[in-house]
Each structure stands twice: as structure tokens, then as C-alpha cells.
Short mmCIF file of all heavy atoms in Angstrom, two decimals:
data_model
loop_
_atom_site.label_atom_id
_atom_site.label_comp_id
_atom_site.label_asym_id
_atom_site.label_seq_id
_atom_site.Cartn_x
_atom_site.Cartn_y
_atom_site.Cartn_z
N MET A 991 156.52 144.01 104.24
CA MET A 991 155.22 144.51 103.84
C MET A 991 154.77 143.69 102.66
O MET A 991 155.38 143.60 101.68
CB MET A 991 155.37 145.99 103.52
CG MET A 991 154.12 146.55 102.93
SD MET A 991 154.46 148.32 102.70
CE MET A 991 153.28 148.65 101.47
N SER A 992 153.65 143.11 102.82
CA SER A 992 153.08 142.33 101.67
C SER A 992 151.63 142.69 101.55
O SER A 992 150.88 142.73 102.56
CB SER A 992 153.26 140.82 101.93
OG SER A 992 152.43 140.44 102.98
N ALA A 993 151.28 142.92 100.35
CA ALA A 993 149.85 143.24 100.11
C ALA A 993 149.28 142.14 99.23
O ALA A 993 149.92 141.68 98.30
CB ALA A 993 149.75 144.56 99.34
N SER A 994 148.13 141.71 99.56
CA SER A 994 147.47 140.65 98.78
C SER A 994 146.71 141.30 97.64
O SER A 994 145.95 142.29 97.85
CB SER A 994 146.54 139.80 99.65
OG SER A 994 145.52 140.57 100.11
N VAL A 995 146.92 140.75 96.47
CA VAL A 995 146.22 141.30 95.30
C VAL A 995 145.31 140.20 94.75
O VAL A 995 145.78 139.06 94.56
CB VAL A 995 147.27 141.73 94.22
CG1 VAL A 995 146.53 142.14 92.92
CG2 VAL A 995 148.15 142.79 94.74
N ALA A 996 144.11 140.49 94.49
CA ALA A 996 143.15 139.53 93.96
C ALA A 996 143.50 139.30 92.49
O ALA A 996 143.43 140.21 91.65
CB ALA A 996 141.75 140.00 94.10
N VAL A 997 143.87 138.06 92.16
CA VAL A 997 144.14 137.73 90.78
C VAL A 997 142.94 137.05 90.19
O VAL A 997 142.43 136.10 90.75
CB VAL A 997 145.36 136.74 90.71
CG1 VAL A 997 145.62 136.33 89.26
CG2 VAL A 997 146.58 137.41 91.33
N PRO A 998 142.45 137.57 89.07
CA PRO A 998 141.24 136.95 88.44
C PRO A 998 141.56 135.55 88.01
O PRO A 998 142.64 135.31 87.42
CB PRO A 998 140.90 137.85 87.29
CG PRO A 998 142.08 138.73 87.07
CD PRO A 998 142.93 138.76 88.34
N GLN A 999 140.69 134.66 88.30
CA GLN A 999 140.84 133.25 87.86
C GLN A 999 139.97 132.92 86.71
O GLN A 999 138.86 133.41 86.63
CB GLN A 999 140.42 132.33 89.09
CG GLN A 999 141.27 132.54 90.32
CD GLN A 999 142.67 132.03 90.13
OE1 GLN A 999 142.96 131.00 89.52
NE2 GLN A 999 143.65 132.80 90.63
N ALA A 1000 140.51 132.11 85.85
CA ALA A 1000 139.72 131.66 84.70
C ALA A 1000 138.76 130.62 85.16
O ALA A 1000 139.06 129.71 85.90
CB ALA A 1000 140.61 131.10 83.66
N ARG A 1001 137.50 130.75 84.71
CA ARG A 1001 136.45 129.78 85.13
C ARG A 1001 135.92 129.21 83.82
O ARG A 1001 135.59 129.94 82.85
CB ARG A 1001 135.36 130.50 85.86
CG ARG A 1001 135.77 130.93 87.29
CD ARG A 1001 134.62 131.59 87.99
NE ARG A 1001 134.38 132.86 87.35
CZ ARG A 1001 133.28 133.57 87.44
NH1 ARG A 1001 132.29 133.11 88.15
NH2 ARG A 1001 133.15 134.76 86.85
N PRO A 1002 135.76 127.94 83.76
CA PRO A 1002 135.21 127.29 82.55
C PRO A 1002 133.76 127.65 82.42
O PRO A 1002 133.05 127.78 83.42
CB PRO A 1002 135.41 125.79 82.81
CG PRO A 1002 135.53 125.63 84.26
CD PRO A 1002 136.15 126.92 84.76
N VAL A 1003 133.32 127.79 81.23
CA VAL A 1003 131.96 128.09 80.92
C VAL A 1003 131.26 126.79 80.50
O VAL A 1003 131.71 126.15 79.56
CB VAL A 1003 131.83 129.16 79.80
CG1 VAL A 1003 130.38 129.41 79.41
CG2 VAL A 1003 132.52 130.43 80.23
N ALA A 1004 130.23 126.46 81.10
CA ALA A 1004 129.47 125.28 80.77
C ALA A 1004 128.46 125.62 79.65
O ALA A 1004 127.60 126.45 79.86
CB ALA A 1004 128.73 124.67 81.94
N ILE A 1005 128.59 125.01 78.48
CA ILE A 1005 127.72 125.22 77.39
C ILE A 1005 126.87 123.96 77.26
O ILE A 1005 127.36 122.91 77.01
CB ILE A 1005 128.47 125.54 76.07
CG1 ILE A 1005 129.39 126.75 76.28
CG2 ILE A 1005 127.51 125.76 74.95
CD1 ILE A 1005 130.27 127.02 75.11
N PRO A 1006 125.54 124.10 77.37
CA PRO A 1006 124.71 122.91 77.24
C PRO A 1006 124.77 122.29 75.90
O PRO A 1006 124.94 122.98 74.86
CB PRO A 1006 123.27 123.44 77.56
CG PRO A 1006 123.46 124.79 78.01
CD PRO A 1006 124.82 125.29 77.65
N MET A 1007 124.69 120.99 75.82
CA MET A 1007 124.76 120.28 74.60
C MET A 1007 123.60 120.65 73.70
O MET A 1007 123.79 120.66 72.46
CB MET A 1007 124.71 118.71 74.89
CG MET A 1007 125.01 117.90 73.71
SD MET A 1007 126.67 118.22 73.15
CE MET A 1007 126.89 116.81 72.07
N SER A 1008 122.45 120.97 74.23
CA SER A 1008 121.27 121.34 73.43
C SER A 1008 121.53 122.61 72.61
O SER A 1008 120.94 122.85 71.59
CB SER A 1008 120.08 121.46 74.27
OG SER A 1008 120.22 122.47 75.18
N GLU A 1009 122.49 123.46 73.12
CA GLU A 1009 122.78 124.70 72.39
C GLU A 1009 123.87 124.51 71.40
O GLU A 1009 123.92 125.22 70.38
CB GLU A 1009 123.22 125.80 73.37
CG GLU A 1009 122.06 126.35 74.21
CD GLU A 1009 122.52 127.46 75.10
OE1 GLU A 1009 123.57 128.09 74.78
OE2 GLU A 1009 121.86 127.73 76.09
N THR A 1010 124.75 123.56 71.59
CA THR A 1010 125.87 123.35 70.68
C THR A 1010 125.55 122.35 69.56
O THR A 1010 126.19 122.44 68.49
CB THR A 1010 127.11 122.85 71.45
OG1 THR A 1010 126.80 121.63 72.12
CG2 THR A 1010 127.59 123.89 72.47
N LEU A 1011 124.62 121.43 69.81
CA LEU A 1011 124.33 120.41 68.81
C LEU A 1011 123.88 121.03 67.47
O LEU A 1011 124.42 120.49 66.41
CB LEU A 1011 123.29 119.43 69.37
CG LEU A 1011 123.19 118.11 68.59
CD1 LEU A 1011 124.54 117.38 68.59
CD2 LEU A 1011 122.16 117.22 69.24
N PRO A 1012 123.01 121.92 67.38
CA PRO A 1012 122.67 122.49 66.06
C PRO A 1012 123.89 123.06 65.33
O PRO A 1012 124.03 122.96 64.10
CB PRO A 1012 121.66 123.55 66.35
CG PRO A 1012 121.04 123.20 67.66
CD PRO A 1012 122.15 122.50 68.37
N TRP A 1013 124.79 123.77 66.04
CA TRP A 1013 125.98 124.36 65.44
C TRP A 1013 126.90 123.22 64.97
O TRP A 1013 127.50 123.34 63.89
CB TRP A 1013 126.69 125.22 66.43
CG TRP A 1013 125.90 126.50 66.66
CD1 TRP A 1013 125.09 126.75 67.74
CD2 TRP A 1013 125.88 127.66 65.86
NE1 TRP A 1013 124.56 128.00 67.59
CE2 TRP A 1013 124.98 128.60 66.46
CE3 TRP A 1013 126.44 128.03 64.61
CZ2 TRP A 1013 124.75 129.82 65.90
CZ3 TRP A 1013 126.21 129.22 64.09
CH2 TRP A 1013 125.33 130.15 64.74
N LEU A 1014 127.05 122.17 65.76
CA LEU A 1014 127.92 121.08 65.33
C LEU A 1014 127.36 120.40 64.07
O LEU A 1014 128.11 120.05 63.17
CB LEU A 1014 128.07 120.05 66.43
CG LEU A 1014 128.85 120.51 67.71
CD1 LEU A 1014 128.81 119.52 68.81
CD2 LEU A 1014 130.28 120.75 67.30
N ILE A 1015 126.08 120.16 64.07
CA ILE A 1015 125.49 119.53 62.90
C ILE A 1015 125.56 120.42 61.67
O ILE A 1015 125.90 119.94 60.58
CB ILE A 1015 124.00 119.11 63.19
CG1 ILE A 1015 123.99 118.03 64.22
CG2 ILE A 1015 123.26 118.72 61.91
CD1 ILE A 1015 122.55 117.68 64.72
N GLY A 1016 125.31 121.72 61.84
CA GLY A 1016 125.45 122.63 60.72
C GLY A 1016 126.84 122.69 60.18
O GLY A 1016 127.00 122.71 58.98
N ALA A 1017 127.84 122.74 61.09
CA ALA A 1017 129.20 122.79 60.65
C ALA A 1017 129.60 121.47 59.89
O ALA A 1017 130.33 121.54 58.90
CB ALA A 1017 130.15 123.02 61.81
N ALA A 1018 129.06 120.38 60.39
CA ALA A 1018 129.39 119.11 59.74
C ALA A 1018 128.77 119.03 58.36
O ALA A 1018 129.38 118.59 57.39
CB ALA A 1018 128.91 117.93 60.59
N VAL A 1019 127.55 119.48 58.24
CA VAL A 1019 126.83 119.45 56.94
C VAL A 1019 127.54 120.43 55.96
O VAL A 1019 127.84 120.06 54.78
CB VAL A 1019 125.39 119.86 57.10
CG1 VAL A 1019 124.70 120.14 55.74
CG2 VAL A 1019 124.62 118.76 57.81
N LEU A 1020 127.88 121.63 56.44
CA LEU A 1020 128.58 122.59 55.57
C LEU A 1020 129.93 121.99 55.16
O LEU A 1020 130.36 122.13 53.97
CB LEU A 1020 128.73 123.90 56.31
CG LEU A 1020 129.38 125.02 55.51
CD1 LEU A 1020 128.52 125.37 54.28
CD2 LEU A 1020 129.61 126.24 56.42
N GLY A 1021 130.68 121.43 56.07
CA GLY A 1021 131.95 120.85 55.74
C GLY A 1021 131.86 119.72 54.74
O GLY A 1021 132.65 119.66 53.82
N LEU A 1022 130.84 118.88 54.89
CA LEU A 1022 130.68 117.81 53.98
C LEU A 1022 130.27 118.26 52.56
O LEU A 1022 130.77 117.79 51.57
CB LEU A 1022 129.59 116.78 54.44
CG LEU A 1022 130.08 115.91 55.60
CD1 LEU A 1022 128.93 115.09 56.13
CD2 LEU A 1022 131.21 115.02 55.17
N LEU A 1023 129.44 119.38 52.50
CA LEU A 1023 129.12 119.95 51.24
C LEU A 1023 130.36 120.53 50.57
O LEU A 1023 130.56 120.35 49.33
CB LEU A 1023 128.07 121.05 51.40
CG LEU A 1023 126.61 120.54 51.54
CD1 LEU A 1023 125.72 121.78 51.87
CD2 LEU A 1023 126.18 119.88 50.33
N ILE A 1024 131.15 121.24 51.29
CA ILE A 1024 132.41 121.80 50.73
C ILE A 1024 133.33 120.68 50.28
O ILE A 1024 133.90 120.75 49.16
CB ILE A 1024 133.06 122.74 51.75
CG1 ILE A 1024 132.28 124.00 51.98
CG2 ILE A 1024 134.51 123.10 51.28
CD1 ILE A 1024 132.74 124.86 53.14
N TYR A 1025 133.45 119.67 51.11
CA TYR A 1025 134.34 118.53 50.74
C TYR A 1025 133.80 117.85 49.44
O TYR A 1025 134.60 117.52 48.58
CB TYR A 1025 134.35 117.51 51.89
CG TYR A 1025 135.19 116.32 51.57
CD1 TYR A 1025 136.59 116.35 51.70
CD2 TYR A 1025 134.62 115.12 51.17
CE1 TYR A 1025 137.37 115.24 51.49
CE2 TYR A 1025 135.37 114.03 50.88
CZ TYR A 1025 136.73 114.09 51.08
OH TYR A 1025 137.54 112.96 50.81
N TYR A 1026 132.47 117.71 49.37
CA TYR A 1026 131.90 117.02 48.18
C TYR A 1026 132.16 117.87 46.91
O TYR A 1026 132.64 117.37 45.92
CB TYR A 1026 130.41 116.81 48.36
CG TYR A 1026 129.77 116.29 47.15
CD1 TYR A 1026 129.89 114.93 46.80
CD2 TYR A 1026 129.06 117.13 46.24
CE1 TYR A 1026 129.35 114.47 45.62
CE2 TYR A 1026 128.54 116.64 45.04
CZ TYR A 1026 128.70 115.32 44.77
OH TYR A 1026 128.12 114.83 43.61
N PHE A 1027 131.85 119.16 47.01
CA PHE A 1027 131.99 119.96 45.76
C PHE A 1027 133.39 120.19 45.36
O PHE A 1027 133.70 120.28 44.18
CB PHE A 1027 131.28 121.29 45.95
CG PHE A 1027 129.77 121.19 45.77
CD1 PHE A 1027 128.92 121.41 46.84
CD2 PHE A 1027 129.22 120.85 44.55
CE1 PHE A 1027 127.56 121.27 46.69
CE2 PHE A 1027 127.87 120.68 44.39
CZ PHE A 1027 127.02 120.89 45.42
N ILE A 1028 134.32 120.22 46.30
CA ILE A 1028 135.75 120.39 45.92
C ILE A 1028 136.41 119.07 45.55
O ILE A 1028 137.11 118.98 44.55
CB ILE A 1028 136.56 121.01 47.13
CG1 ILE A 1028 136.12 122.50 47.30
CG2 ILE A 1028 138.04 120.91 46.84
CD1 ILE A 1028 136.80 123.19 48.42
N GLY A 1029 136.06 117.99 46.21
CA GLY A 1029 136.78 116.76 46.05
C GLY A 1029 136.13 115.69 45.20
O GLY A 1029 136.82 114.85 44.60
N ILE A 1030 134.79 115.67 45.18
CA ILE A 1030 134.17 114.50 44.54
C ILE A 1030 133.31 114.89 43.36
O ILE A 1030 133.24 114.13 42.43
CB ILE A 1030 133.30 113.79 45.59
CG1 ILE A 1030 134.17 113.32 46.75
CG2 ILE A 1030 132.53 112.63 45.02
CD1 ILE A 1030 133.43 112.78 47.97
N ASP A 1031 132.61 116.03 43.41
CA ASP A 1031 131.68 116.38 42.37
C ASP A 1031 132.38 116.56 41.01
O ASP A 1031 133.09 117.52 40.75
CB ASP A 1031 130.97 117.66 42.72
CG ASP A 1031 129.85 117.99 41.76
OD1 ASP A 1031 128.87 117.31 41.81
OD2 ASP A 1031 130.03 118.97 41.00
N GLU A 1032 132.19 115.57 40.18
CA GLU A 1032 132.87 115.59 38.85
C GLU A 1032 132.22 114.53 37.93
O GLU A 1032 131.91 113.49 38.39
CB GLU A 1032 134.34 115.32 38.99
CG GLU A 1032 135.15 115.42 37.75
CD GLU A 1032 136.63 115.16 37.97
OE1 GLU A 1032 136.97 114.55 38.99
OE2 GLU A 1032 137.40 115.54 37.13
N GLY A 1033 132.04 114.90 36.74
CA GLY A 1033 131.59 113.95 35.69
C GLY A 1033 130.26 113.33 35.97
O GLY A 1033 129.25 114.02 36.25
N ALA A 1034 130.21 112.02 35.92
CA ALA A 1034 128.93 111.30 36.01
C ALA A 1034 128.33 111.44 37.40
O ALA A 1034 127.14 111.25 37.62
CB ALA A 1034 129.14 109.83 35.72
N THR A 1035 129.16 111.66 38.45
CA THR A 1035 128.63 111.76 39.83
C THR A 1035 128.23 113.17 40.15
O THR A 1035 127.89 113.45 41.32
CB THR A 1035 129.65 111.26 40.85
OG1 THR A 1035 130.81 112.11 40.73
CG2 THR A 1035 130.07 109.81 40.56
N SER A 1036 128.28 114.06 39.24
CA SER A 1036 128.01 115.48 39.51
C SER A 1036 126.52 115.71 39.87
O SER A 1036 125.69 115.12 39.23
CB SER A 1036 128.43 116.36 38.38
OG SER A 1036 128.10 117.69 38.62
N VAL A 1037 126.29 116.55 40.84
CA VAL A 1037 124.91 116.89 41.21
C VAL A 1037 124.24 117.67 40.11
O VAL A 1037 123.03 117.47 39.84
CB VAL A 1037 124.92 117.75 42.52
CG1 VAL A 1037 123.57 118.29 42.82
CG2 VAL A 1037 125.44 116.94 43.69
N PHE A 1038 124.96 118.50 39.43
CA PHE A 1038 124.34 119.35 38.43
C PHE A 1038 124.55 118.76 37.00
O PHE A 1038 124.66 119.46 36.01
CB PHE A 1038 124.98 120.76 38.45
CG PHE A 1038 124.78 121.43 39.75
CD1 PHE A 1038 125.82 121.51 40.66
CD2 PHE A 1038 123.52 121.92 40.06
CE1 PHE A 1038 125.61 122.17 41.86
CE2 PHE A 1038 123.29 122.54 41.26
CZ PHE A 1038 124.32 122.69 42.19
N GLY A 1039 124.60 117.46 36.89
CA GLY A 1039 124.72 116.84 35.58
C GLY A 1039 126.13 116.88 34.99
O GLY A 1039 127.10 116.90 35.75
N ASN A 1040 126.17 117.02 33.69
CA ASN A 1040 127.45 117.04 33.04
C ASN A 1040 128.05 118.42 32.92
O ASN A 1040 128.98 118.67 32.19
CB ASN A 1040 127.37 116.41 31.65
CG ASN A 1040 128.68 115.90 31.13
OD1 ASN A 1040 129.64 115.80 31.91
ND2 ASN A 1040 128.67 115.57 29.87
N SER A 1041 127.49 119.37 33.69
CA SER A 1041 127.97 120.76 33.65
C SER A 1041 129.35 120.87 34.30
O SER A 1041 129.62 120.22 35.30
CB SER A 1041 127.01 121.69 34.33
OG SER A 1041 127.53 122.95 34.45
N THR A 1042 130.20 121.70 33.76
CA THR A 1042 131.51 121.86 34.32
C THR A 1042 131.62 123.16 35.14
O THR A 1042 132.73 123.53 35.54
CB THR A 1042 132.57 121.89 33.23
OG1 THR A 1042 132.28 122.95 32.32
CG2 THR A 1042 132.63 120.57 32.51
N VAL A 1043 130.44 123.75 35.44
CA VAL A 1043 130.54 125.10 36.14
C VAL A 1043 131.10 124.92 37.52
O VAL A 1043 132.02 125.64 37.92
CB VAL A 1043 129.06 125.71 36.17
CG1 VAL A 1043 129.10 126.94 37.06
CG2 VAL A 1043 128.58 125.96 34.77
N VAL A 1044 130.56 123.98 38.32
CA VAL A 1044 131.08 123.79 39.67
C VAL A 1044 132.44 123.30 39.67
O VAL A 1044 133.27 123.79 40.44
CB VAL A 1044 130.14 122.80 40.43
CG1 VAL A 1044 130.67 122.50 41.79
CG2 VAL A 1044 128.72 123.33 40.53
N HIS A 1045 132.81 122.39 38.78
CA HIS A 1045 134.14 121.85 38.70
C HIS A 1045 135.13 122.95 38.40
O HIS A 1045 136.17 123.03 39.05
CB HIS A 1045 134.19 120.75 37.64
CG HIS A 1045 135.57 120.18 37.46
ND1 HIS A 1045 136.05 119.21 38.26
CD2 HIS A 1045 136.56 120.52 36.63
CE1 HIS A 1045 137.29 118.91 37.90
NE2 HIS A 1045 137.64 119.69 36.91
N GLU A 1046 134.84 123.81 37.44
CA GLU A 1046 135.76 124.89 37.15
C GLU A 1046 135.88 125.91 38.20
O GLU A 1046 136.91 126.50 38.47
CB GLU A 1046 135.30 125.58 35.81
CG GLU A 1046 135.50 124.70 34.60
CD GLU A 1046 136.93 124.24 34.42
OE1 GLU A 1046 137.85 125.03 34.63
OE2 GLU A 1046 137.11 123.10 33.96
N PHE A 1047 134.69 126.10 38.94
CA PHE A 1047 134.71 127.10 40.07
C PHE A 1047 135.60 126.70 41.18
O PHE A 1047 136.30 127.49 41.81
CB PHE A 1047 133.32 127.29 40.56
CG PHE A 1047 133.15 128.37 41.56
CD1 PHE A 1047 133.28 129.69 41.21
CD2 PHE A 1047 132.94 128.04 42.91
CE1 PHE A 1047 133.15 130.72 42.18
CE2 PHE A 1047 132.81 129.06 43.87
CZ PHE A 1047 132.95 130.40 43.49
N VAL A 1048 135.73 125.39 41.47
CA VAL A 1048 136.56 124.88 42.59
C VAL A 1048 137.83 124.20 42.10
O VAL A 1048 138.48 123.55 42.84
CB VAL A 1048 135.74 123.89 43.48
CG1 VAL A 1048 134.59 124.63 44.11
CG2 VAL A 1048 135.29 122.72 42.70
N HIS A 1049 138.16 124.45 40.80
CA HIS A 1049 139.25 123.72 40.22
C HIS A 1049 140.59 123.95 40.90
O HIS A 1049 141.36 123.07 41.16
CB HIS A 1049 139.37 124.09 38.71
CG HIS A 1049 140.23 123.13 37.97
ND1 HIS A 1049 141.29 123.56 37.28
CD2 HIS A 1049 140.21 121.80 37.84
CE1 HIS A 1049 141.88 122.56 36.73
NE2 HIS A 1049 141.25 121.48 37.03
N ASP A 1050 140.92 125.22 41.22
CA ASP A 1050 142.16 125.59 41.86
C ASP A 1050 142.23 124.99 43.26
O ASP A 1050 143.23 124.49 43.71
CB ASP A 1050 142.35 127.08 41.93
CG ASP A 1050 142.59 127.65 40.51
OD1 ASP A 1050 142.94 126.90 39.62
OD2 ASP A 1050 142.42 128.91 40.36
N ALA A 1051 141.11 125.07 44.00
CA ALA A 1051 141.10 124.47 45.32
C ALA A 1051 141.31 122.98 45.27
O ALA A 1051 142.00 122.38 46.12
CB ALA A 1051 139.74 124.77 46.00
N ARG A 1052 140.73 122.33 44.24
CA ARG A 1052 140.87 120.90 44.06
C ARG A 1052 142.39 120.54 43.89
O ARG A 1052 142.89 119.64 44.53
CB ARG A 1052 140.10 120.39 42.87
CG ARG A 1052 140.24 118.97 42.54
CD ARG A 1052 139.51 118.66 41.26
NE ARG A 1052 138.07 118.85 41.44
CZ ARG A 1052 137.20 117.89 41.52
NH1 ARG A 1052 137.59 116.67 41.36
NH2 ARG A 1052 135.93 118.16 41.67
N HIS A 1053 143.08 121.30 43.05
CA HIS A 1053 144.47 121.02 42.85
C HIS A 1053 145.28 121.41 44.08
O HIS A 1053 146.22 120.68 44.40
CB HIS A 1053 145.01 121.77 41.59
CG HIS A 1053 144.65 121.14 40.34
ND1 HIS A 1053 145.46 120.20 39.75
CD2 HIS A 1053 143.58 121.22 39.54
CE1 HIS A 1053 144.92 119.77 38.66
NE2 HIS A 1053 143.77 120.38 38.47
N PHE A 1054 144.94 122.49 44.71
CA PHE A 1054 145.70 122.91 45.92
C PHE A 1054 145.62 121.85 47.04
O PHE A 1054 146.55 121.62 47.71
CB PHE A 1054 145.15 124.25 46.43
CG PHE A 1054 145.80 124.75 47.68
CD1 PHE A 1054 147.10 125.23 47.64
CD2 PHE A 1054 145.17 124.67 48.89
CE1 PHE A 1054 147.71 125.68 48.74
CE2 PHE A 1054 145.74 125.14 50.04
CZ PHE A 1054 147.05 125.65 49.96
N LEU A 1055 144.47 121.22 47.17
CA LEU A 1055 144.25 120.23 48.27
C LEU A 1055 144.69 118.84 47.81
O LEU A 1055 144.62 117.92 48.68
CB LEU A 1055 142.81 120.23 48.68
CG LEU A 1055 142.36 121.54 49.33
CD1 LEU A 1055 140.82 121.54 49.60
CD2 LEU A 1055 143.10 121.82 50.62
N GLY A 1056 145.09 118.65 46.57
CA GLY A 1056 145.63 117.40 46.15
C GLY A 1056 144.64 116.37 45.70
O GLY A 1056 144.96 115.15 45.65
N PHE A 1057 143.39 116.77 45.37
CA PHE A 1057 142.44 115.82 44.93
C PHE A 1057 142.74 115.45 43.50
O PHE A 1057 143.16 116.32 42.71
CB PHE A 1057 141.00 116.38 44.99
CG PHE A 1057 140.47 116.43 46.40
CD1 PHE A 1057 140.44 117.62 47.09
CD2 PHE A 1057 139.95 115.30 46.98
CE1 PHE A 1057 139.92 117.65 48.38
CE2 PHE A 1057 139.44 115.32 48.25
CZ PHE A 1057 139.44 116.52 48.95
N PRO A 1058 142.53 114.23 43.04
CA PRO A 1058 142.79 113.88 41.65
C PRO A 1058 141.77 114.60 40.76
O PRO A 1058 140.58 114.71 41.15
CB PRO A 1058 142.61 112.37 41.63
CG PRO A 1058 141.78 112.03 42.85
CD PRO A 1058 142.08 113.11 43.84
N CYS A 1059 142.23 115.04 39.65
CA CYS A 1059 141.37 115.82 38.80
C CYS A 1059 141.47 115.36 37.34
O CYS A 1059 140.53 114.76 36.85
CB CYS A 1059 141.79 117.35 38.87
SG CYS A 1059 140.72 118.39 37.95
N HIS A 1060 142.55 115.53 36.72
CA HIS A 1060 142.69 115.20 35.33
C HIS A 1060 144.09 114.71 35.09
O HIS A 1060 144.96 114.81 35.94
CB HIS A 1060 142.36 116.37 34.38
CG HIS A 1060 142.99 117.63 34.77
ND1 HIS A 1060 144.26 117.99 34.40
CD2 HIS A 1060 142.52 118.63 35.51
CE1 HIS A 1060 144.52 119.20 34.87
NE2 HIS A 1060 143.50 119.60 35.62
ZN1 ZN B 2451 142.36 119.94 37.27
#
């Protein structure tokens, strides 16, 4: 005696490029901003001038990720 059981199959979902492109660009811009403020924004190259507010805010993350600091 054998009974056939319908096993659900996984089907790939096609996501159009026009729907994913804004999310990809947004994620890339956000990632680059985070990378800049954690890793690069310091001293003369700082966006906010000679202020140390941003630098001190991300200071622990900078050291944790191994960016040169001081
Ligand atoms: Zn430091």
C-alpha cells in the first residue's frame, strides 16, 4: 500500500530589477556613509569641520573595526 503525498516545492520568486535597484542604491549609499563616518571622517577631512563630535560618537566602532585613529 502506497499513498502519494503532495510535497510542496520551493519556487523561486522573480523580483524585477526596477524594484530592487532603488533598495540596492540606498543600501550602498547608507553603507558608504557609515563607512565614511566610522573610518575616514577625522581632522582636516571632516565634514563638520574641526569638531570632534562625530569622531567621538563613532570612536569605539572605529577601534573595534581596526581603523587607525590615534
Ligand atoms: Zn581612538
